[in-house]
Amino acid sequence: MKKLGCLALCLLLLAGCGARRGGDRQSQSATLFAMDTVMDLTAYGPKAQEALEAAEAEVDRLDARLSAQRPDSAVWEINQGGGAPVPVDGEMAALLERALAFYGDTGGALDVTIYPAVEAWGFPTRAYRVPDQAELAQLREVVNGGAVALTGDTVTLAPGMKLDLGAVGKGYAADRIVELWTELGVTSGLLNLGGNIHCLGAKPDGSDWLIGIRDPEDEGETLCAVAGCDMAVVTSGAYQRNFTQGGVTYHHILDPATCAPADSGAASVTVIGPSGFTCDALSTALFVMGPDRAAAYWREHRDFDMVYYTQDGALFYTSGLEGRLTLRDGLEGQMLT
Ligand code: ADP
Ligand code: MG
């Protein structure tokens, strides 16, 4: 089951509900449920209340647009296209273009046409089931990010194809909130969108944020903590949503190549970088790719950092985190260079 709000732990003392005053450290916090998850938002400074209201409105707007399940969302309309072109606005076209670029760049590991498979396993409705081999083979026919036809203002899916922006939506929402807060002049804030952490600026006292990454096997334990500012810290883990049937546990990150839960050796993958969207896309993709392909991908790109924890209990992290990562006592980590 979903462990709401516990996907990653913030080791900082977050401001509780309501306002805290004291110079620039005045803060406001809110907890809301949107995009099928719990979100905690904290903004600092004199515009904190306005910032929270703007963030809540933006999250609601995006939820209404991006949800594959909500009738009349923009994604839902695209999914009803039945093979005909569906008009899309600039925001949707840009989002799809970015997501499809990751499809190409990750060898298909991030595939936003995964929705027919996500539905077949029962994740959206929580009516979980295990599709048989014949059904999985049929699903593989319609899960194909390479077949999305995107022009500047229309998108066309072949009959049977359906989009799911679940792997990137929260990352995009975090980026949008950061943009809105920056426009308002907010220079310090912390977002936890169901485990997608995003730090705006530094802490109000100017020091780094310290973000804990949870142990996939133990909700109450952290593997390590990452220090930094102006960063997204996004984790994809097999523990986030799953069900058990016949003694086997099936989780919600699917390998588009099989249309079944990715069995890559990953237990949790955390990606750290400036863009929430990129970190969200990569955390899902690198989970699907498994530790070896993920390490190779990082070596080719080197424009993000990651903490990779395998099912065997091995932890490795990229060299950009040197000096910023504190491992739990007794845990060994290996640095990728
Ligand atoms: P979470 O949303 O739980 O934080 P992720 O960012 O990893 O985790 O996204 C997982 C969601 O993305 C799934 O619930 C599903 O809707 C969708 N998804 C699953 N596998 C893939 C995939 N390989 N590519 C794109 N989307 C996926
Ligand atoms: Mg993701």
Side-chain angles (χ1 to χ4, degrees):
M1 289 300 293
K2 187 115 182 162
K3 308 269 171 60
L4 293 175
C6 297
L7 310 182
L9 295 173
C10 182
L11 296 182
L12 294 161
L13 186 63
L14 291 183
C17 278
R20 295 186 166 202
R21 291 188 183 277
D24 276 356
R25 298 187 194 178
Q26 176 182 334
S27 76
Q28 293 281 346
S29 294
T31 299
L32 49 138
F33 188 85
M35 297 182 150
D36 208 19
T37 195
V38 174
M39 302 186 167
D40 294 305
L41 318 175
T42 301
Y44 294 84
K47 291 282 186 66
Q49 184 56 37
E50 213 179 312
L52 284 187
E53 285 162 16
E56 286 189 41
E58 182 64 0
V59 163
D60 286 344
R61 183 185 76 83
L62 290 174
D63 201 1
R65 299 210 71 202
L66 305 185
S67 165
Q69 287 182 74
R70 282 172 70 159
D72 300 333
S73 79
V75 167
W76 190 86
E77 273 172 22
I78 293 168
N79 290 348
Q80 306 307 303
V86 177
V88 286
D89 66 9
E91 180 180 50
M92 182 58 73
L95 261 175
L96 289 178
E97 196 179 336
R98 290 173 77 188
L100 294 174
F102 277 108
Y103 172 82
D105 204 39
T106 62
L110 182 87
D111 189 337
V112 290
T113 68
I114 197 76
Y115 200 58
V118 172
E119 274 188 311
W121 285 88
F123 285 106
T125 53
R126 292 172 170 74
Y128 300 118
R129 57 188 283 279
V130 180
D132 64 18
Q133 288 305 325
E135 189 177 352
L136 291 176
Q138 282 177 353
L139 289 167
R140 290 195 287 271
E141 300 285 314
V142 288
V143 172
N144 180 5
V148 178
L150 184 66
T151 67
D153 53 9
T154 68
V155 59
T156 312
L157 303 179
M161 286 178 71
K162 284 184 182 178
L163 296 181
D164 174 5
L165 296 181
V168 293
K170 285 179 277 166
Y172 179 67
D175 288 341
R176 284 289 306 140
I177 293 171
V178 165
E179 267 176 57
L180 293 171
W181 287 11
T182 303
E183 280 165 23
L184 280 171
V186 173
T187 54
S188 179
L190 187 64
L191 311 174
N192 179 353
L193 311 187
N196 279 44
I197 310 288
H198 206 120
C199 313
L200 167 61
K203 280 164 64 180
D205 66 3
S207 62
D208 277 349
W209 302 98
L210 190 59
I211 307 299
I213 297 172
R214 77 156 261 199
D215 184 337
E217 274 111 51
D218 185 346
E219 195 183 332
E221 283 285 336
T222 51
L223 293 174
C224 56
V226 184
C229 51
D230 279 317
M231 61 175 180
V233 181
V234 180
T235 301
S236 286
Y239 57 86
Q240 286 170 346
R241 183 165 300 187
N242 58 49
F243 67 97
T244 302
Q245 219 172 74
V248 182
T249 298
Y250 301 95
H251 61 77
H252 73 314
I253 301 174
L254 305 183
D255 182 346
T258 60
C259 288
D263 186 16
S264 66
S268 93
V269 182
T270 302
V271 178
I272 300 120
S275 156
F277 182 99
T278 297
C279 291
D280 204 358
L282 286 178
S283 68
T284 307
L286 297 170
F287 187 102
V288 170
M289 288 159 87
D292 295 342
R293 279 175 69 200
Y297 183 93
W298 177 77
R299 286 198 172 100
E300 270 170 38
H301 292 78
R302 294 181 187 266
D303 53 358
F304 65 93
D305 280 295
M306 67 176 166
V307 176
Y308 210 106
Y309 190 64
T310 70
Q311 276 171 355
D312 305 335
L315 183 145
F316 63 87
Y317 61 94
T318 53
S319 53
L321 297 175
E322 196 175 12
R324 295 168 56 199
L325 194 70
T326 311
L327 295 177
R328 181 176 75 203
D329 274 353
L331 191 66
E332 299 276 313
Q334 201 198 333
M335 188 168 79
L336 277 186
T337 51

